[in-house]
Amino acid sequence: MGRLKHLGFGGSERLGLAMILASLLAIMLIVFALLWHQNEIQEDLIRSQGLSLTRTISALPYTQLVPPEGQPGLISNALQGQHDPNFAYAVIVDINNKALSLASAPGVTVPSIEWPAHPVGWLSDRMLKTSTGKNVVEFYSPLYSDGSVIAYLRVGYFLPGQSVSLSQLPFLATMALIIFLLTPIFYFLMRKEVAPLRDAHEKIGGVLESSQFSSSELRADGELNNFFDRFSEFVDFAKRRIDSLEAEQKELITSQRLITYSKARIENVLEAIPEAVLILDQTGAVSYGNRRLSTLIGVPHEKIAESNPSEWCDNPEIVNLIAQYSGQNSASYLADTIHMDVSSLRSVNKDTRRNLAIKAYPLFSPTEAATIYGTLIIFRDVTKESIAQRQQGEFIAHVAHELKTPLNTLALCSQTLLDNDSDDSQTINESANIIRDEVERLAGLIDNLLNVTKIESGDISVERQRLRLRDFLEDTFSVAKRYKNAEGLTFELDIPPDVSSIMADKELLRIAVNNLLTNAVKYSHPGGVVSVSCEETEQTIRILVKDSGMGIKPEEQKLIFDRFYRSSNPEVRAKSGHGLGLSLARDIIELHQGTLSVSSAPGEGSEFTIEIWKESGLLKQVI
Amino acid sequence: MKKRILLVDDEPMVLRIMRVALAKEGHQIDLAADGVQALAQIEAACPDVMVTDIDMPNMTGRELCLHLQENMPNRKFPIFISTSLAALHHRDWSKAIGNLHFLEKPISIRQLTRLIDQYTGANSPSEDLAP
């Protein structure tokens, strides 16, 4: 509202001042115009009078105009004492510019001018200045005698000035007063006319301040009321339009927020998906890739949506796969999951092959079901699953083989016994011994398998109890002495009487130590030595199981703890075994947060060392 | 008739029982734990009969037979292969090898003895003896 005031509706005082100034300006202009007009009239009058006088005098005979010397001329008689205030002078000069007869107003000197050698022969006028600086219009004409120019007539009149004479002052003052008196009249009339506008202006100002507008508030008389009616209609229309636009804007903002929320939610869902996700648009260009994809392929997340797949993916198979889905007609979507064995992805070690399961899904338009407007490609890293599957398959194959081998031997023995018509005692005894050995082998295998399975599945629990190590090892050692092939071996047990107790699962630890002792006995030569000793450090206890048997090659020492691994040494393979004993022993020791290591030399024997914390392993971990 | 028989198997128990059973019949028995050992035995003393398992470390029974076919084209002794794989397509590799016979596990010592007598007494064409 203040701004509107500033623009003109609040400054009535300034309007009055402006009107006064305008009236003064008008008075000045009118006075100036009157004076100018009056001068024009007077100048025309002077010219007319001068020309007439010059023409009249020049028509007189030269002798009358210029009498003999000593007599007054006509000009002097006729014009001296002229009461015309504008008359300046009248003079007849000869061709040498010498004054022959002169009549002039008092105090006026005839301006001297260079007279042309060949003067013009017609009546004319010119502007001159007197010695007092007054402007003079001079009319001149040649005087003839016997057809020749013998003199010139010069008649001068003062030009009227711009000054105001006293006689004009009353008239001009009256004019100025009239004009000046009209000013307040115009001012009040204007104020009256402007009053409805001012009222409307204030109401509109109120509207702007309160944001409320009622068209019925704007009322005026005559044409202005019509204008207000139209203006009110316009305002109502604008208001409706603004309301409509505001409603549309609100809907738009709401929709935009919903879209933003939905987009964020969808992106969160896509980010939460454990698989790598890639979304292509209709043209096959990448429009979105989640962070798991960037992790999988080893490129910054932002780069995926900004560049061509060939720029961030080294694997041509994947690039070609993505390229299949460019264009609207690319409907050759994969019916089944594609498995790719890739090694070129940047995120992984180049030496490590990675198995990806890739599946593409068409994204159909929500409005036109037949239109495909994009493609969703899911990359799933199934390397671990593949390895696990392969390992499981290998494990089952090993188990099957290990189970089948003794069964085959048992079948052979039974067939041999059935075929033994002569009741040959040697065959019967050998078969019986082999059957016993193989049954033991099967039982051991099955026990170990069950324990391995329990450990792998996490079903086994370590029930720690305080274990008197000396008693435990003596007991376990005495059992080993009764093993098959134990005959002819020397057994040595070296356990300090004051060895500390340990916290361990007695049954599990017995299995581990038993497996080591079984191997020590099995792979020892007749006459060899199997020993168990114990060493104690500040924090740990070491149980050492040593034999003087076949020994293990250095390159095999890392492999013997792998499941089902059996040495390629023929001497070793001649002994029955299934390659699970050491693996199980290591698992059990690791369950106790301990370590199982081997030191061996082929032909000299092996030494397996169990190192286990004296305190609870769990407690040790916490510490 | 006493024969020199080479038994090839990585299972010591199998070798143990077969050696006892065949020795009882009066045969001389040589033992090998895999194909490599078998080749060494053959080079040292060519057997009259070879009985071999297939699945063995270092050199399998299949590799052993193919090696013999290539390096001993004039081999006279029959080869008996013990297998638990009954399907014929598992035996396609042996078609080009002569005097080779399959025995399905478990081996019957009585049947093996009869076959040894049969194939070492007269030259007979190669055939599959597995039931």
Side-chain angles (χ1 to χ4, degrees):
Chain A
M1 185 174 175
R3 184 165 168 264
L4 288 177
K5 267 184 179 177
H6 176 73
L7 289 175
F9 284 100
S12 56
E13 298 81 5
R14 274 178 293 178
L15 177 63
L17 187 61
M19 291 194 71
I20 291 169
L21 290 174
S23 63
L24 290 175
L25 185 62
I27 291 166
M28 286 172 65
L29 287 173
I30 290 170
V31 168
F32 178 77
L34 285 172
L35 290 174
W36 179 80
H37 182 65
Q38 194 177 12
N39 283 344
E40 285 291 312
I41 292 171
Q42 198 169 1
E43 195 174 318
D44 289 345
L45 185 64
I46 288 168
R47 286 182 181 279
S48 171
Q49 194 176 354
L51 284 173
S52 174
L53 182 62
T54 305
R55 192 175 292 117
T56 303
I57 293 173
S58 63
L60 295 172
Y62 178 75
T63 52
Q64 289 183 7
L65 293 172
V66 183
E69 197 166 341
Q71 295 182 8
L74 183 62
I75 292 178
S76 302
N77 293 332
L79 298 178
Q80 197 69 42
Q82 177 73 259
H83 297 293
D84 187 352
N86 293 320
F87 177 76
Y89 59 85
V91 62
I92 295 171
V93 295
D94 61 12
I95 55 176
N96 295 320
N97 206 20
K98 181 184 176 185
L100 300 176
S101 180
L102 173 66
S104 64
V108 174
T109 307
V110 177
S112 61
I113 57 169
E114 290 294 327
W115 202 256
H118 302 285
V120 292
W122 58 84
L123 181 65
S124 185
D125 62 72
R126 55 191 169 198
M127 299 300 294
L128 296 172
K129 274 188 183 295
T130 65
S131 58
T132 56
K134 289 185 175 179
N135 290 324
V136 172
V137 57
E138 186 183 88
F139 305 93
Y140 59 91
S141 175
L143 299 177
Y144 297 91
S145 177
D146 298 332
S148 301
V149 176
I150 58 169
Y152 292 97
L153 173 65
R154 296 171 58 192
V155 178
Y157 281 85
F158 292 116
L159 282 175
Q162 298 297 330
S163 59
V164 178
S165 63
L166 289 174
S167 61
Q168 292 173 319
L169 278 177
F171 172 73
L172 292 175
T174 306
M175 287 292 296
L177 183 62
I178 292 169
I179 293 170
F180 197 75
L181 289 175
L182 284 174
T183 301
I185 296 170
F186 280 125
Y187 175 73
F188 287 113
L189 284 174
M190 189 175 288
R191 285 202 58 153
K192 188 184 176 189
E193 288 299 316
V194 167
L197 285 175
R198 185 189 303 278
D199 186 43
H201 160 73
E202 288 175 356
K203 285 175 179 171
I204 290 170
V207 169
L208 290 174
E209 283 184 350
S210 65
S211 302
Q212 295 293 327
F213 177 77
S214 172
S215 58
S216 61
E217 293 176 8
L218 284 179
R219 283 286 173 264
D221 297 329
E223 288 296 320
L224 194 57
N225 195 43
N226 292 336
F227 167 76
F228 282 160
D229 287 343
R230 296 292 292 170
F231 179 73
S232 297
E233 287 176 14
F234 171 75
V235 169
D236 288 340
F237 170 76
K239 192 178 174 186
R240 285 196 304 274
R241 184 67 185 141
I242 288 168
D243 290 345
S244 168
L245 286 173
E246 281 179 350
E248 286 176 10
Q249 191 182 18
K250 280 179 185 172
E251 282 182 15
L252 197 64
I253 290 170
T254 307
S255 301
Q256 199 171 8
R257 284 179 181 166
L258 276 173
I259 289 168
T260 305
Y261 173 73
S262 300
K263 184 171 179 283
R265 194 173 56 176
I266 289 169
E267 284 189 356
N268 285 339
V269 169
L270 290 173
E271 291 296 339
I273 290 174
E275 280 81 26
V277 175
L278 183 68
I279 297 176
L280 309 178
D281 64 14
Q282 268 182 324
T283 64
V286 176
S287 59
Y288 176 79
N290 67 359
R291 294 187 189 280
R292 224 164 269 276
L293 179 68
S294 66
T295 305
L296 181 68
I297 58 182
V299 294
H301 182 238
E302 302 76 25
K303 198 175 177 184
I304 292 176
E306 292 173 357
S307 52
N308 193 294
S310 60
E311 293 176 28
W312 46 258
C313 184
D314 287 343
N315 188 280
E317 288 177 89
I318 294 176
V319 174
N320 291 336
L321 177 75
I322 294 171
Q324 283 182 29
Y325 301 103
S326 60
Q328 297 182 15
N329 297 322
S330 59
S332 58
Y333 287 90
L334 306 176
D336 299 314
T337 303
I338 282 186
H339 287 272
M340 279 188 186
D341 201 10
V342 294
S343 60
S344 60
L345 293 180
R346 292 174 182 167
S347 64
V348 297
N349 189 321
K350 296 289 181 188
D351 297 331
T352 307
R353 297 192 72 79
R354 197 149 269 233
N355 197 289
L356 297 181
I358 303 169
K359 178 86 172 115
Y361 302 89
L363 299 174
F364 293 103
S365 165
T367 51
E368 297 175 35
T371 303
I372 296 171
Y373 72 95
T375 306
L376 170 70
I377 304 178
I378 304 286
F379 297 81
R380 200 157 62 88
D381 187 348
V382 292
T383 309
K384 285 183 182 174
E385 288 93 324
S386 299
I387 291 171
Q389 206 169 13
R390 190 170 65 245
Q391 286 178 339
Q392 190 180 14
E394 288 172 356
F395 180 79
I396 291 170
H398 274 294
V399 170
H401 182 262
E402 291 301 322
L403 287 171
K404 196 172 181 184
T405 301
L407 286 175
N408 280 336
T409 308
L410 290 173
L412 176 63
C413 289
S414 66
Q415 188 64 47
T416 303
L417 288 172
L418 287 172
D419 291 347
N420 187 24
D421 296 336
S422 59
D423 294 334
D424 175 56
S425 60
Q426 189 186 2
T427 303
I428 293 170
N429 287 338
E430 195 67 14
S431 296
N433 286 332
I434 290 172
I435 288 169
R436 183 199 64 195
D437 291 348
E438 291 299 273
V439 167
E440 283 180 4
R441 176 181 171 185
L442 271 175
L445 171 63
I446 290 166
D447 284 344
N448 281 338
L449 275 174
L450 286 172
N451 288 323
V452 164
T453 307
K454 280 181 184 174
I455 288 174
E456 279 205 337
S457 63
D459 285 345
I460 203 162
S461 60
V462 181
E463 295 176 1
R464 294 173 191 276
Q465 53 184 294
R466 186 161 296 282
L467 201 60
R468 296 176 62 178
L469 199 57
R470 183 180 171 84
D471 294 347
F472 169 78
L473 289 175
E474 281 178 349
D475 185 32
T476 308
F477 198 62
S478 64
V479 174
K481 288 178 183 176
R482 297 195 296 271
Y483 286 167
K484 188 185 66 172
N485 301 330
E487 289 178 10
L489 297 177
T490 302
F491 289 89
E492 295 175 354
L493 185 65
D494 180 17
I495 310 294
D498 56 345
V499 66
S500 299
S501 299
I502 58 170
M503 294 297 291
D505 187 310
K506 186 177 179 181
E507 292 310 314
L508 287 176
L509 193 62
R510 188 191 302 283
I511 291 170
V513 176
N514 257 337
N515 284 353
L516 296 180
L517 279 171
T518 303
N519 283 348
V521 171
K522 190 193 297 183
Y523 300 115
S524 285
H525 299 120
V529 178
V530 172
S531 69
V532 173
S533 58
C534 195
E535 295 175 355
E536 185 170 359
T537 67
E538 189 178 345
Q539 292 181 319
T540 64
I541 283 183
R542 295 196 193 101
I543 302 168
L544 297 92
V545 179
K546 189 175 180 182
D547 67 70
S548 58
M550 302 167 189
I552 305 163
K553 293 178 192 170
E555 63 269 22
E556 287 187 318
Q557 288 178 17
K558 289 180 181 174
L559 304 172
I560 55 173
F561 297 106
D562 291 349
R563 248 160 233 161
F564 297 111
Y565 181 80
R566 294 211 70 199
S567 169
S568 57
N569 182 353
E571 213 176 359
V572 172
R573 297 192 74 87
K575 306 285 184 182
S576 66
H578 42 68
L580 278 177
L582 287 178
S583 168
L584 180 60
R586 184 198 56 186
D587 289 346
I588 289 171
I589 300 305
E590 285 181 353
L591 277 176
H592 287 79
Q593 285 80 45
T595 58
L596 174 60
S597 57
V598 64
S599 166
S600 180
E604 295 180 11
S606 305
E607 183 180 71
F608 287 85
T609 303
I610 295 171
E611 184 160 23
I612 198 165
W613 299 99
K614 283 196 276 192
E615 301 95 350
S616 162
L618 199 59
L619 179 64
K620 184 68 194 170
Q621 274 190 330
V622 172
I623 293 170
Chain B
M1 186 179 175
K2 185 181 176 184
K3 302 292 179 189
R4 187 176 191 123
I5 301 172
L6 175 59
L7 299 177
V8 189
D9 202 306
D10 63 331
E11 271 301 311
M13 300 300 178
V14 172
L15 293 178
R16 199 167 133 193
I17 186 65
M18 286 184 71
R19 184 177 64 179
V20 170
L22 290 171
K24 191 195 70 176
E25 300 293 329
H27 299 300
Q28 182 182 344
I29 309 299
D30 294 325
L31 300 177
D34 56 35
V36 176
Q37 287 186 22
L39 287 175
Q41 291 277 11
I42 291 168
E43 194 175 339
C46 190
D48 298 315
V49 174
M50 185 175 83
V51 181
T52 181
D53 190 16
I54 290 180
D55 189 13
M56 294 181 293
N58 298 326
M59 180 184 276
T60 65
R62 174 181 169 171
E63 290 165 344
L64 172 63
C65 293
L66 291 170
H67 185 273
L68 289 174
Q69 175 69 11
E70 189 176 344
N71 295 285
M72 290 183 70
N74 298 319
R75 170 180 57 85
K76 299 294 183 190
F77 62 86
I79 298 174
F80 294 98
I81 296 179
S82 62
T83 179
S84 56
L85 301 173
L88 289 176
H89 68 269
H90 286 128
R91 305 174 185 181
D92 289 344
W93 58 271
S94 66
K95 283 181 180 173
I97 303 174
N99 206 9
L100 182 144
H101 317 283
F102 281 91
L103 296 171
E104 190 166 338
K105 289 180 180 179
I107 293 173
S108 163
I109 299 297
R110 182 189 293 169
Q111 185 192 19
L112 177 61
T113 305
R114 191 173 67 245
L115 290 170
I116 288 170
D117 291 342
Q118 180 183 341
Y119 283 93
T120 55
N123 287 334
S124 297
S126 174
E127 62 177 295
D128 187 355
L129 301 174

